[in-house]
PDB file of all heavy atoms in Angstrom:
ATOM      1  N   ARG A 135     171.651 258.377  15.788  1.00  0.00           N
ATOM      2  CA  ARG A 135     171.990 258.366  17.166  1.00  0.00           C
ATOM      3  C   ARG A 135     171.552 257.056  17.826  1.00  0.00           C
ATOM      4  O   ARG A 135     172.286 256.468  18.730  1.00  0.00           O
ATOM      5  CB  ARG A 135     171.379 259.547  17.968  1.00  0.00           C
ATOM      6  CG  ARG A 135     171.976 260.816  17.512  1.00  0.00           C
ATOM      7  CD  ARG A 135     171.477 261.999  18.305  1.00  0.00           C
ATOM      8  NE  ARG A 135     172.305 263.130  17.911  1.00  0.00           N
ATOM      9  CZ  ARG A 135     171.691 264.395  17.761  1.00  0.00           C
ATOM     10  NH1 ARG A 135     170.423 264.517  18.002  1.00  0.00           N
ATOM     11  NH2 ARG A 135     172.443 265.336  17.378  1.00  0.00           N
ATOM     12  N   LEU A 136     170.406 256.521  17.512  1.00  0.00           N
ATOM     13  CA  LEU A 136     170.026 255.232  18.127  1.00  0.00           C
ATOM     14  C   LEU A 136     170.848 254.082  17.542  1.00  0.00           C
ATOM     15  O   LEU A 136     171.229 253.200  18.354  1.00  0.00           O
ATOM     16  CB  LEU A 136     168.506 254.947  17.675  1.00  0.00           C
ATOM     17  CG  LEU A 136     167.481 255.864  18.384  1.00  0.00           C
ATOM     18  CD1 LEU A 136     166.079 255.565  17.849  1.00  0.00           C
ATOM     19  CD2 LEU A 136     167.556 255.768  19.886  1.00  0.00           C
ATOM     20  N   ALA A 137     171.266 254.162  16.314  1.00  0.00           N
ATOM     21  CA  ALA A 137     172.222 253.130  15.826  1.00  0.00           C
ATOM     22  C   ALA A 137     173.538 253.239  16.459  1.00  0.00           C
ATOM     23  O   ALA A 137     174.162 252.232  16.767  1.00  0.00           O
ATOM     24  CB  ALA A 137     172.309 253.354  14.345  1.00  0.00           C
ATOM     25  N   ALA A 138     174.043 254.395  16.770  1.00  0.00           N
ATOM     26  CA  ALA A 138     175.259 254.590  17.396  1.00  0.00           C
ATOM     27  C   ALA A 138     175.283 254.040  18.801  1.00  0.00           C
ATOM     28  O   ALA A 138     176.201 253.363  19.232  1.00  0.00           O
ATOM     29  CB  ALA A 138     175.694 256.133  17.501  1.00  0.00           C
ATOM     30  N   VAL A 139     174.170 254.238  19.520  1.00  0.00           N
ATOM     31  CA  VAL A 139     174.004 253.625  20.888  1.00  0.00           C
ATOM     32  C   VAL A 139     174.073 252.204  20.772  1.00  0.00           C
ATOM     33  O   VAL A 139     174.649 251.423  21.612  1.00  0.00           O
ATOM     34  CB  VAL A 139     172.679 254.075  21.486  1.00  0.00           C
ATOM     35  CG1 VAL A 139     172.325 253.281  22.735  1.00  0.00           C
ATOM     36  CG2 VAL A 139     172.751 255.526  21.824  1.00  0.00           C
ATOM     37  N   ALA A 140     173.487 251.541  19.753  1.00  0.00           N
ATOM     38  CA  ALA A 140     173.512 250.089  19.627  1.00  0.00           C
ATOM     39  C   ALA A 140     174.812 249.572  19.149  1.00  0.00           C
ATOM     40  O   ALA A 140     175.263 248.397  19.524  1.00  0.00           O
ATOM     41  CB  ALA A 140     172.389 249.630  18.612  1.00  0.00           C
ATOM     42  N   ILE A 141     175.580 250.283  18.308  1.00  0.00           N
ATOM     43  CA  ILE A 141     176.816 249.859  17.669  1.00  0.00           C
ATOM     44  C   ILE A 141     178.052 250.092  18.628  1.00  0.00           C
ATOM     45  O   ILE A 141     178.949 249.188  18.622  1.00  0.00           O
ATOM     46  CB  ILE A 141     176.938 250.442  16.305  1.00  0.00           C
ATOM     47  CG1 ILE A 141     175.932 249.936  15.395  1.00  0.00           C
ATOM     48  CG2 ILE A 141     178.308 250.252  15.748  1.00  0.00           C
ATOM     49  CD1 ILE A 141     175.833 250.636  14.011  1.00  0.00           C
ATOM     50  N   LEU A 142     178.127 251.262  19.206  1.00  0.00           N
ATOM     51  CA  LEU A 142     179.338 251.550  19.942  1.00  0.00           C
ATOM     52  C   LEU A 142     179.735 250.580  21.094  1.00  0.00           C
ATOM     53  O   LEU A 142     181.015 250.437  21.186  1.00  0.00           O
ATOM     54  CB  LEU A 142     179.152 253.000  20.454  1.00  0.00           C
ATOM     55  CG  LEU A 142     179.379 254.081  19.422  1.00  0.00           C
ATOM     56  CD1 LEU A 142     179.238 255.390  20.013  1.00  0.00           C
ATOM     57  CD2 LEU A 142     180.803 253.902  18.802  1.00  0.00           C
ATOM     58  N   PRO A 143     178.846 249.963  21.745  1.00  0.00           N
ATOM     59  CA  PRO A 143     179.318 249.030  22.792  1.00  0.00           C
ATOM     60  C   PRO A 143     180.032 247.712  22.087  1.00  0.00           C
ATOM     61  O   PRO A 143     180.831 247.073  22.754  1.00  0.00           O
ATOM     62  CB  PRO A 143     178.172 248.498  23.508  1.00  0.00           C
ATOM     63  CG  PRO A 143     177.213 249.568  23.298  1.00  0.00           C
ATOM     64  CD  PRO A 143     177.446 250.233  21.931  1.00  0.00           C
ATOM     65  N   ARG A 144     179.753 247.497  20.884  1.00  0.00           N
ATOM     66  CA  ARG A 144     180.280 246.292  20.149  1.00  0.00           C
ATOM     67  C   ARG A 144     181.489 246.504  19.300  1.00  0.00           C
ATOM     68  O   ARG A 144     182.094 245.645  18.829  1.00  0.00           O
ATOM     69  CB  ARG A 144     179.143 245.703  19.322  1.00  0.00           C
ATOM     70  CG  ARG A 144     177.993 245.218  20.112  1.00  0.00           C
ATOM     71  CD  ARG A 144     176.911 244.548  19.213  1.00  0.00           C
ATOM     72  NE  ARG A 144     175.775 244.212  19.967  1.00  0.00           N
ATOM     73  CZ  ARG A 144     174.677 244.893  20.189  1.00  0.00           C
ATOM     74  NH1 ARG A 144     174.620 246.129  19.583  1.00  0.00           N
ATOM     75  NH2 ARG A 144     173.700 244.480  20.838  1.00  0.00           N
ATOM     76  N   VAL A 145     181.750 247.808  18.980  1.00  0.00           N
ATOM     77  CA  VAL A 145     182.791 248.147  17.974  1.00  0.00           C
ATOM     78  C   VAL A 145     183.798 249.068  18.763  1.00  0.00           C
ATOM     79  O   VAL A 145     183.400 249.874  19.554  1.00  0.00           O
ATOM     80  CB  VAL A 145     182.254 248.849  16.756  1.00  0.00           C
ATOM     81  CG1 VAL A 145     183.263 249.314  15.842  1.00  0.00           C
ATOM     82  CG2 VAL A 145     181.156 248.005  16.114  1.00  0.00           C
ATOM     83  N   ARG A 146     185.065 248.861  18.457  1.00  0.00           N
ATOM     84  CA  ARG A 146     186.085 249.755  19.004  1.00  0.00           C
ATOM     85  C   ARG A 146     185.858 251.215  18.450  1.00  0.00           C
ATOM     86  O   ARG A 146     185.513 251.413  17.347  1.00  0.00           O
ATOM     87  CB  ARG A 146     187.526 249.402  18.599  1.00  0.00           C
ATOM     88  CG  ARG A 146     187.904 248.103  19.227  1.00  0.00           C
ATOM     89  CD  ARG A 146     189.367 247.814  19.052  1.00  0.00           C
ATOM     90  NE  ARG A 146     190.032 248.412  17.864  1.00  0.00           N
ATOM     91  CZ  ARG A 146     190.345 247.756  16.774  1.00  0.00           C
ATOM     92  NH1 ARG A 146     190.226 246.529  16.598  1.00  0.00           N
ATOM     93  NH2 ARG A 146     190.932 248.378  15.782  1.00  0.00           N
TER      94      ARG A 146
END
Side-chain angles (χ1 to χ4, degrees):
R135 288 185 177 142
L136 292 175
V139 168
I141 291 171
L142 283 177
R144 296 180 182 95
V145 178
R146 291 191 336 252

